Structure formats: structure tokens, C-alpha cells
Amino acid sequence: MKSTKFGLGYEQNKSMKKQRLTILVLLTTLASLVAILLGMVLVSSNKHRRFQANTETRSVLSFHYLGLRAVACRIRFTMRQWKAALKWYSSIVDAAWAGDT
């Protein structure tokens, strides 16, 4: 949801109806998940370095931010890159469900 400057601009909604706000939260949650997955694809394909300013070894940008940048810059990925990122995401979720964090 975040701010307009750093995210999806939730504060720009003017709705007061509970049902519309519920749908808006659902849509922003799905959009955030897609942004996180895109950020993970960017990192797993090693294309994230172009967005980092002065660090070479440590990642300092969130997956969410990187995903939004990937959309803004229209970066394309191969199916192999998508599959590698989804496998990585799946292993993180499985570890979290198993309590191995």
C-alpha cells in the first residue's frame, strides 16, 4: 500500500465505503505480491545491481522497491529466470511454514 513516492499510493484513495476499501486492500496486496516476486526475479537474475548506488556486496533495496523499478523500466525476464525466482520464493515460504526462519 505504502505512499505515492515509495509504493502504490494508498493515501490517494478517497473512498469511505467499507466494501470498496476491502477490494482496494485486496488489490494492493496482490500488486505488492507481484512487485515482490518481480524484485526476487530481478535479484535472482542479477539485474538488481543497476539500481544500487554504492554497495557491491550487500543488497540494500527491498524486493518490493526493486519490483516496482523493474515495472517502471520495463525489464524483461526469461522463463528460466521466473522459474528460479519462484523456486526461491517457494523455499522461503516452506521454511517459514516449517518454522526454520
Side-chain angles (χ1 to χ4, degrees):
M1 302 214 315
K2 294 188 167 192
S3 67
T4 302
K5 185 175 181 181
F6 300 109
L8 300 174
Y10 178 77
E11 77 274 359
Q12 290 183 349
N13 91 77
K14 304 289 187 220
S15 182
M16 296 293 179
K17 295 182 179 180
K18 183 179 176 182
Q19 186 177 12
R20 292 188 81 171
L21 287 172
T22 302
I23 292 170
L24 181 63
V25 169
L26 172 67
L27 291 174
T28 55
T29 302
L30 291 173
S32 291
L33 179 60
V34 170
I36 290 167
L37 288 173
L38 276 170
M40 292 181 84
V41 175
L42 202 65
V43 170
S44 68
S45 63
N46 208 21
K47 294 181 179 182
H48 68 292
R49 298 271 181 221
R50 68 188 270 191
F51 300 111
Q52 285 191 202
N54 59 1
T55 57
E56 294 182 16
T57 57
R58 201 179 88 208
S59 293
V60 294
L61 301 173
S62 71
F63 293 132
H64 189 271
Y65 177 80
L66 288 171
L68 293 177
R69 295 298 303 150
V71 170
C73 294
R74 297 179 185 222
I75 297 176
R76 293 184 171 258
F77 302 104
T78 64
M79 189 58 73
R80 178 182 288 160
Q81 292 168 331
W82 273 105
K83 287 180 181 179
L86 288 173
K87 187 175 181 182
W88 180 27
Y89 179 79
S90 178
S91 70
I92 291 171
V93 170
D94 289 344
W97 276 103
D100 299 335
T101 57

